[in-house]
């Protein structure tokens, strides 16, 4: 049974979402503040949490800072953020803080559950990764080494821990060097969004990925922008 940490200060919203998730078979822990959530993750109960649903507008420590602290603690825990307004700046800031996806409140049960299922699939190490059908499991690209079997990345011999979304994005792009991927194609293949998704998810993940694998993120060698189209891997 997947276990979700729900971080929401509004008791009625929190109780309703918890009821929905439990009806869909999830185990649920809840927290009303960011401080409570971080304490739970640091304790014994935190070991069973497989995904966090995080409201941005929390009392005390806001959701942006909570997300940053979660990311400082672990790269692999998927985080879906909740925003009440769908404000562009809130969404961009939340994604840059390390969130994997977002939903705008009020959110329907099917949408929330679909987003959670997709995020858990991205985090599942046993799933076939984009590009693992290539001729080799180990790819060395000018100092960037991608192990598709072990799902690890190193740059100049130093391990680069990547959250599941960023790892899948790198695997998808690097499987076909030189090929241009549209944002819509990446949303479908990496985020599993079969509906019309938000290209900001792609742009934010690319920015976070570049910060970790590029020597100079502003002048990327690996993940390059093709203006008006999308992204490609290389040429190096």
């Amino acid at each position: 049974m997947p276990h979700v940490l729900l971080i929401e200060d509004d008791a009625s919203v929190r109780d309703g979402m918890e009821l929905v998730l439990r009806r869909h078979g999830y185990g649920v822990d809840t927290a009303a503040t960011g401080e409570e959530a971080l304490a739970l993750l640091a304790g014994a109960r935190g070991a069973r949490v497989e995904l966090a649903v995080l409201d941005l507008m929390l009392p005390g420590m806001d959701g942006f800072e909570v997300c940053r602290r979660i990311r400082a603690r672990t790269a692999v825990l998927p985080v879906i953020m909740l925003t009440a307004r769908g404000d562009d700046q809130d969404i961009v800031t939340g994604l840059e803080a390390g969130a994997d996806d977002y939903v705008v409140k009020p959110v329907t049960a099917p949408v929330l559950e679909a987003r959670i299922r997709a995020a858990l699939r991205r985090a599942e190490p046993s799933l076939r990764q984009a590009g693992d059908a290539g001729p080799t499991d180990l790819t060395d690209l000018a100092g960037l080494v991608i192990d598709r079997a072990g799902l690890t990345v190193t740059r100049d011999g130093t391990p680069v821990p990547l959250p599941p979304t960023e790892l899948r994005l790198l695997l998808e792009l690097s499987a076909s060097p030189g090929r241009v991927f549209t944002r819509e194609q990446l949303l479908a293949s990496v985020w599993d969004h079969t509906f019309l998704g938000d290209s900001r998810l792609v742009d934010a993940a690319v920015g976070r990925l570049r910060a970790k694998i590029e020597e100079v993120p502003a002048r990327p060698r690996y993940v390059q922008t093709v203006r008006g189209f999308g992204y490609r891997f290389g040429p190096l």
Side-chain angles (χ1 to χ4, degrees):
M1 177 186 298
H3 208 92
V4 174
L5 172 59
L6 175 59
I7 311 165
E8 166 63 64
D9 66 308
D10 187 313
S12 61
V13 173
R14 187 175 63 247
D15 292 347
M17 294 176 70
E18 180 181 6
L19 180 61
V20 166
L21 292 174
R22 290 191 182 279
R23 283 178 174 173
H24 281 85
Y26 295 94
V28 183
D29 279 315
T30 62
T33 67
E35 292 85 353
E36 182 183 348
L38 292 171
L40 186 149
L41 288 171
R45 291 163 62 193
R48 65 184 181 179
V49 174
E50 298 174 61
L51 179 142
V53 177
L54 170 64
D55 185 30
L56 290 183
M57 299 296 106
L58 295 171
M61 184 187 302
D62 65 24
F64 304 112
E65 182 60 24
V66 174
C67 189
R68 293 187 192 100
R69 296 197 184 194
I70 290 174
R71 279 290 164 259
R73 183 192 304 272
T74 173
V76 299
L77 181 69
V79 177
I80 298 176
M81 65 180 188
L82 301 174
T83 174
R85 297 174 297 167
D87 181 85
D88 284 354
Q89 188 55 50
D90 282 356
I91 291 168
V92 171
T93 302
L95 293 173
E96 289 176 346
D100 298 282
D101 201 351
Y102 77 92
V103 291
V104 177
K105 295 191 295 185
V107 57
T108 64
V111 168
L112 178 61
E113 207 271 329
R115 296 294 185 91
I116 289 174
R117 280 191 284 108
L120 289 171
R121 283 196 298 269
R122 292 196 298 274
E124 178 56 59
S126 65
L127 289 180
R128 288 180 58 82
Q129 300 293 316
D132 67 353
T136 178
D137 287 332
L138 194 66
T139 306
D140 189 341
L141 302 156
L144 183 71
V145 179
I146 304 170
D147 183 346
R148 298 178 185 279
L151 301 181
T152 60
V153 178
T154 60
R155 189 184 70 182
D156 299 327
T158 302
V160 181
L162 294 175
T165 298
E166 293 166 39
L167 177 58
R168 283 185 178 262
L169 178 61
L170 177 60
L171 290 170
E172 181 74 16
L173 291 168
S174 63
S176 303
R179 174 186 170 186
V180 178
F181 291 83
T182 66
R183 290 170 175 83
E184 290 74 19
Q185 288 172 327
L186 292 171
L187 280 168
S189 60
V190 176
W191 279 264
D192 199 18
H193 283 194
T194 54
F195 53 90
L196 183 62
D198 189 336
S199 63
R200 288 173 295 190
L201 292 169
V202 180
D203 295 338
V206 165
R208 297 195 306 264
L209 179 60
R210 283 174 172 165
K212 296 167 185 173
I213 68 171
E214 302 283 0
E215 185 175 349
V216 183
R219 297 195 301 274
R221 301 175 61 199
Y222 302 112
V223 182
Q224 300 184 351
T225 301
V226 180
R227 293 191 181 278
F229 293 94
Y231 297 100
R232 70 180 174 196
F233 193 86
L236 303 177

